[in-house]
Amino acid sequence: MRLNLTILILLLGQGLFGQISYSRLFENKNFKWLADSSSQELTIYYQVDSWTDKKIETVRQRVINHLNSVKSFVDIKSYDKRVHFFIVDSREQMKLLVGHETNGSAFYKSNTVTGVASEKINSIYSNHELFHVVAMNLWGVPDIWVNEGMAVYSDNEWHGHDLYQLTRYLADNNRLVSLDRLIKHFRKIDDLISYPLTGSFVKYLDETYGRDTVLMIWKSKTKNLKKLTGKTIKELETDWLTKIRTINYNEIKY
C-alpha cells in the first residue's frame, strides 16, 4: 500500500544518545515521503521517483527478509513494535535527514532506521541497523563494542567477507588492533578495522561461551567480562586469535 503522507505529527527533536525521533524525520522539510505499509511489522518511507520508488516491491521483500533474519538471530518469532525505515538516495540526502553523512542509522527509542538505496550504495540490504533497533529494545543499551560487534555478526560478514577470514587477512597484513583498545576506544578506531574485528570477536564469544553468556555481557557491561568468561581481555584475545590462525582465505582486497 503506497500512501502520500500529509498527517502532521508533533516534532519532538533529538534526545539522548543521538536519538532522533520518528516525527523529526517524518516532518523534515527537505523530504516529502511516500509510505509502504504492506508488512504488519514494517513501514518503508521513500520519495517519489527515487531509486526505491522504482523498485519498491523488491526493496520491501528484501528488507522484510533482513528483519526476519534479525528476529531469527535474536531468537524471537515476532517483534511487537512497528519498525519505521526511512530510505534516501544518497549520503548527501542522508545529511539533510539526520545531520551528517552516513550509510545508515538506528534510533531505537522510536523503532526507526535510516538507510541509503541507489545504484552505488545499498546499505538497506543489511541486518545491521535493524538489529540495533530490535536488540536494544529487547536487551537494553550495551557498551558500544558489543553493540556494534553483534550488529556486524548478525550479518555474519563485512563488506562481503567472512568475519574470521577477514580477521586473518588483517592479522597477516599487520592491521590488527588490540582487543583492549577495541573495547576501550572503539569510536577512535577506523570503522573499516573496528567493525569487522569486533564482529569477529563477538562471533568467537558466541560460539565458544554461548548466547546466554554474550547476553550477560551485553546487559552487565564490559566490567564483568572476566567474571563471565573466566578470562582476562588479554587471555580472550589470545584464544580468539589462536582460532583465527586456523582459518584460511582466498584472495581478499580490502
Side-chain angles (χ1 to χ4, degrees):
M1 177 174 62
R2 191 172 95 167
L3 300 174
N4 192 341
L5 300 179
T6 57
I7 301 173
L8 294 179
I9 300 175
L10 179 65
L11 182 61
L12 298 177
Q14 185 168 349
L16 297 176
F17 309 114
Q19 293 296 298
I20 299 177
S21 67
Y22 159 83
S23 56
R24 179 169 175 173
L25 299 176
F26 176 76
E27 293 186 354
N28 188 307
K29 294 181 180 180
N30 294 296
F31 302 91
K32 186 174 182 180
W33 301 110
L34 301 175
D36 183 286
S37 298
S38 300
S39 166
Q40 293 182 347
E41 296 178 315
L42 174 75
T43 298
I44 298 172
Y45 303 85
Y46 56 99
Q47 298 177 86
V48 176
D49 294 327
S50 64
W51 188 92
T52 300
D53 189 17
K54 298 170 185 176
K55 299 177 181 291
I56 185 59
E57 292 185 6
T58 299
V59 169
R60 179 198 309 128
Q61 189 55 59
R62 290 194 62 176
V63 173
I64 289 172
N65 290 345
H66 281 291
L67 181 57
N68 288 336
S69 178
V70 168
K71 290 189 295 181
S72 177
F73 182 77
V74 302
D75 196 25
I76 58 174
K77 292 183 178 179
S78 62
Y79 183 64
D80 61 2
K81 300 178 181 180
R82 178 170 289 274
V83 176
H84 303 281
F85 205 137
F86 289 83
I87 303 176
V88 295
D89 278 355
S90 67
R91 288 171 60 90
E92 291 77 18
Q93 285 190 3
M94 185 68 77
K95 184 175 183 179
L96 294 175
L97 182 62
V98 302
H100 61 279
E101 285 196 16
T102 180
N103 286 346
S105 303
F107 307 108
Y108 75 97
K109 289 186 177 181
S110 59
N111 287 286
T112 301
V113 173
T114 68
V116 177
S118 69
E119 293 296 338
K120 295 182 178 180
I121 301 176
N122 262 314
S123 67
I124 62 171
Y125 295 152
S126 168
N127 292 354
H128 195 107
E129 305 301 345
L130 291 166
F131 168 83
H132 282 314
V133 164
V134 172
M136 284 192 281
N137 276 288
L138 291 176
W139 303 332
V141 180
D143 287 339
I144 185 65
W145 69 271
V146 70
N147 196 357
E148 295 298 347
M150 283 289 279
V152 172
Y153 176 33
S154 73
D155 279 313
N156 204 27
E157 65 173 26
W158 180 255
H159 287 213
H161 300 297
D162 174 86
L163 295 177
Y164 284 168
Q165 290 180 15
L166 184 55
T167 303
R168 176 64 189 272
Y169 169 85
L170 292 173
D172 288 350
N173 288 273
N174 297 315
R175 294 170 69 184
L176 285 182
V177 173
S178 73
L179 183 58
D180 184 67
R181 188 173 169 220
L182 279 171
I183 288 173
K184 293 179 180 178
H185 305 290
F186 182 88
R187 288 299 189 201
K188 296 181 180 180
I189 302 167
D190 183 349
D191 291 355
L192 291 176
I193 303 297
S194 60
Y195 279 73
L197 289 184
T198 50
S200 171
F201 176 64
V202 168
K203 178 179 179 178
Y204 168 77
L205 287 177
D206 193 49
E207 292 179 343
T208 305
Y209 296 94
R211 181 60 58 88
D212 288 345
T213 296
V214 172
L215 291 183
M216 285 189 284
I217 294 169
W218 178 289
K219 294 175 182 180
S220 66
K221 310 296 183 181
T222 306
K223 62 184 178 181
N224 289 322
L225 196 58
K226 183 177 179 180
K227 180 180 179 181
L228 293 170
T229 63
K231 296 189 176 183
T232 65
I233 290 175
K234 187 62 178 177
E235 289 170 333
L236 288 170
E237 179 181 51
T238 297
D239 292 348
W240 166 47
L241 294 180
T242 297
K243 166 74 174 180
I244 294 303
R245 291 188 188 98
T246 70
I247 303 299
N248 297 316
Y249 60 88
N250 296 320
E251 182 178 2
I252 292 177
K253 294 180 179 180
Y254 187 77

